[in-house]
Amino acid sequence: MKKAANHPSLEKKIFVLDTSVILYDHNAFKNFQEHDVAIPIQVLEELDNMKNGNETRNAEARSFIRLMDNASGDRIMNQWIPLNGSKSGRFKVVMDNKPDKLDAEEVFGKGKFDHRILNAALSLKQEFPEKRVVLVSKDICLRLKAKSLELHAEDYETGKIKNVEELYTGKAVLTNIADEVFKTLKAEGSFDATGLDIVDIEANHFCILKGKRKTTTAYYNTKSGRLFPVAPRTIFNISPRNDEQSFAINALLNPDIKLVTIQGKAGTGKTLLAIASALEQRKDYRQIYVTRPIVALSNKDIGFLPGDVKSKIDPYMAPIWDSLRFIKEQYNDDPKMQARIDDFVSTEKIVITPLAYIRGRTLSKIFFIVDEAQNLTPHEIKTIISRAGEDTKIIFTGDVYQIDTPYLDAESNGLSYLIENAKDHALYAHITLDKGERSELANLANDLL
């Protein structure tokens, strides 16, 4: 005990979990090693209110409730219950207690579950003065309130990516390339990359090869260890405007790559390239799904919006429809092709729908595009990929710096998590698009404002 007291990092802690943590990862209470975990009773009440519905957060709430039920068995939950494993801690449900000294409801006001959760943590701190009580929340405002009450508070770190500025980009620039590399690539269509200075030798990625007088683009295949030339390719009358877009098209059309992520700021062409490549390969897939998570405005669910289902979802799906409309405009001189694109929608060859509406569907032989993937949690990303059947290809597009959900950031969102953890898999390829191609005016906004 003395040794633990002299080394705070070794002492036992009590982690108090907020609802936002559970909705981010329903298995969270098992990830605190030997330390104890407390669940405020208000969290269970909030989860009870969220358990119904088709969204992922509803599924997370249900999953956590089942986990708690299985872990507790026949035991009383307001007493400490050991978690499985000798090195695991304990958990309990903390009742609605008020601390003697600091009362969060008196400081911040009554009527909010957050303030009662703060009181639950403060009560534990009062009851166990020898332990370090830490509130764990994805809600930064709640963490700030906790710290103002002299209560330790932390973000939930599991699944977070450190140094997001150094996130894998999927591309590399190789300099001082010998002329024979260029000759062999052109003559034979590939080159053994063993002698080249390729850093990510376990990952499929793209290279810009620069010699004394020549420059070319190539794709490095991790299975064969060889480089293959990447030439600009037009898909559904959409032509790449830079090397990165050529790389993206190459990955999207490669039948050996089943999982692709495209990251980039607004206007770089992520969604447009994904939809165009899907239409280009429409004969190879049973259906094309284009979807995005719905981020409710002003904390209002989609059900609060007026009108029928189509009227409710159209405002959220507008960027996807814009991309499809842009593709149609490339065929202004070909009314038959424009009519065919309309038929793809009317016959549901291409389906544009919110992510919540495809829950439970079988994703076999589907070209599946998930737009705005930065608004998904790591668990949501995993759930989507795990639903992939035979001959399905999944594309995630998004901008990790443009988060619209309150409990995610550039480090904790699902897209960053996927890019970092899938980069060495043979079925995966990623490309970061840097240059905006929407318009010079849009580039001005991105670069200067």
Side-chain angles (χ1 to χ4, degrees):
M1 290 297 293
K2 288 183 179 180
K3 185 176 180 181
N6 291 332
H7 298 80
S9 62
L10 299 178
E11 66 185 358
K12 286 289 187 74
K13 302 174 184 177
I14 300 177
F15 290 100
V16 182
L17 304 192
D18 173 38
T19 311
S20 61
V21 175
I22 307 302
L23 298 179
Y24 179 82
D25 178 8
H26 70 267
N27 207 36
F29 81 119
K30 294 184 177 181
N31 292 333
F32 292 90
Q33 299 176 352
E34 74 276 13
H35 303 291
D36 296 333
V37 176
I39 310 295
I41 192 73
Q42 295 81 14
V43 170
L44 292 183
E45 180 65 20
E46 287 189 300
L47 293 175
D48 186 45
N49 294 334
M50 294 181 181
K51 67 184 180 184
N52 297 320
N54 293 324
E55 295 185 23
T56 304
R57 64 175 184 170
N58 306 128
E60 291 290 296
R62 292 191 293 269
S63 297
F64 179 77
I65 291 169
R66 286 192 291 268
L67 276 176
M68 290 286 286
D69 184 50
N70 292 334
S72 61
D74 296 328
R75 290 167 288 194
I76 303 299
M77 291 182 64
N78 64 352
Q79 304 293 326
W80 290 110
I81 298 174
L83 288 166
N84 292 333
S86 58
K87 294 183 179 180
S88 298
R90 305 168 299 169
F91 80 96
K92 68 178 287 190
V93 172
V94 184
M95 303 309 293
D96 196 3
N97 299 323
K98 286 192 175 183
D100 294 334
K101 297 179 180 179
L102 286 171
D103 186 340
E105 287 194 296
E106 288 184 4
V107 176
F108 299 116
K110 297 183 178 181
K112 287 192 70 174
F113 275 164
D114 282 357
H115 303 159
R116 293 165 64 185
I117 290 172
L118 287 172
N119 274 344
L122 290 168
S123 299
L124 284 172
K125 182 181 177 182
Q126 179 180 302
E127 184 180 356
F128 301 98
E130 75 283 2
K131 292 189 176 183
R132 183 185 179 94
V133 176
V134 182
L135 176 69
V136 184
S137 176
K138 302 296 295 180
D139 186 342
I140 188 171
C141 288
L142 185 58
R143 298 202 303 269
L144 291 174
K145 287 181 179 180
K147 292 175 183 178
S148 69
L149 296 175
E150 300 181 4
L151 183 66
H152 296 289
E154 296 177 1
D155 192 1
Y156 181 64
E157 297 291 333
T158 301
K160 279 197 114 177
I161 303 301
K162 301 302 180 183
N163 300 321
V164 71
E165 296 292 338
E166 300 176 6
L167 193 65
Y168 177 63
T169 63
K171 59 188 177 183
V173 178
L174 303 182
T175 57
N176 299 322
I177 301 298
D179 288 342
E180 65 176 285
V181 176
F182 297 98
K183 292 178 181 178
T184 304
L185 275 175
K186 185 176 181 179
E188 300 181 11
S190 68
F191 182 83
D192 187 350
T194 304
L196 300 180
D197 186 20
I198 296 179
V199 177
D200 298 300
I201 60 172
E202 296 180 355
N204 296 313
H205 59 278
F206 299 91
C207 303
I208 298 176
L209 308 179
K210 293 186 176 182
K212 291 181 179 179
R213 291 169 295 181
K214 296 183 179 180
T215 299
T216 192
T217 53
Y219 163 67
Y220 173 74
N221 181 276
T222 183
K223 280 187 176 180
S224 64
R226 300 184 71 84
L227 287 171
F228 297 87
V230 174
R233 180 172 174 181
T234 298
I235 49 173
F236 241 69
N237 268 6
I238 302 296
S239 300
R241 296 185 178 181
N242 54 55
D243 289 339
E244 286 76 16
Q245 288 190 350
S246 293
F247 294 157
I249 291 173
N250 183 279
L252 291 166
L253 297 181
N254 189 336
D256 295 327
I257 301 298
K258 302 297 185 182
L259 178 63
V260 178
T261 54
I262 306 176
Q263 202 276 132
K265 59 188 178 182
T268 52
K270 307 180 297 293
T271 308
L272 178 64
L273 293 177
I275 295 176
S277 67
L279 293 173
E280 185 75 13
Q281 303 171 87
R282 62 194 181 280
K283 294 180 181 179
D284 299 329
Y285 296 92
R286 182 170 56 86
Q287 266 183 313
I288 299 167
Y289 284 164
V290 189
T291 183
R292 58 176 6 206
I294 284 183
V295 180
L297 301 176
S298 302
N299 295 321
K300 294 243 176 159
D301 189 61
I302 189 173
F304 286 91
L305 296 175
D308 57 13
V309 171
K310 188 177 185 306
S311 300
K312 291 173 186 288
I313 67 174
D314 269 355
Y316 296 98
M317 299 295 108
I320 296 175
W321 288 112
D322 289 343
S323 294
L324 193 61
R325 191 176 301 112
F326 182 85
I327 293 173
K328 279 184 62 179
E329 290 172 356
Q330 309 311 302
Y331 291 95
N332 283 334
D333 298 330
D334 189 350
K336 289 185 178 180
M337 179 55 77
Q338 289 190 331
R340 289 189 67 190
I341 295 175
D342 289 334
D343 286 342
F344 294 155
V345 177
S346 61
T347 60
E348 294 194 345
K349 178 66 177 181
I350 179 169
V351 178
I352 299 176
T353 185
L355 190 57
Y357 282 43
I358 63 148
R359 179 178 292 277
R361 295 192 182 183
T362 301
L363 302 180
S364 295
K365 209 172 185 180
I366 300 293
F367 195 100
F368 191 46
I369 302 170
V370 183
D371 195 28
E372 302 292 349
Q374 77 278 2
N375 289 321
L376 298 173
T377 66
H379 182 72
E380 288 174 314
I381 293 281
K382 178 182 177 181
T383 301
I384 293 168
I385 298 174
S386 66
R387 297 196 61 81
E390 289 295 324
D391 301 318
T392 284
K393 185 161 185 165
I394 301 181
I395 317 299
F396 291 97
T397 69
D399 179 3
V400 299
Y401 297 103
Q402 190 177 340
I403 310 292
D404 300 314
T405 53
Y407 302 135
L408 296 177
D409 55 30
E411 296 178 340
S412 63
N413 72 88
L415 183 58
S416 295
Y417 180 82
L418 177 59
I419 293 170
E420 181 62 26
N421 288 279
K423 63 183 180 182
D424 292 335
H425 201 286
L427 294 178
Y428 172 76
H430 167 73
I431 189 65
T432 296
L433 303 179
D434 294 319
K435 188 178 180 181
E437 297 291 354
R438 182 171 290 167
S439 70
E440 289 301 318
L441 185 58
N443 291 342
L444 181 149
N446 285 323
D447 296 337
L448 300 181
L449 303 181

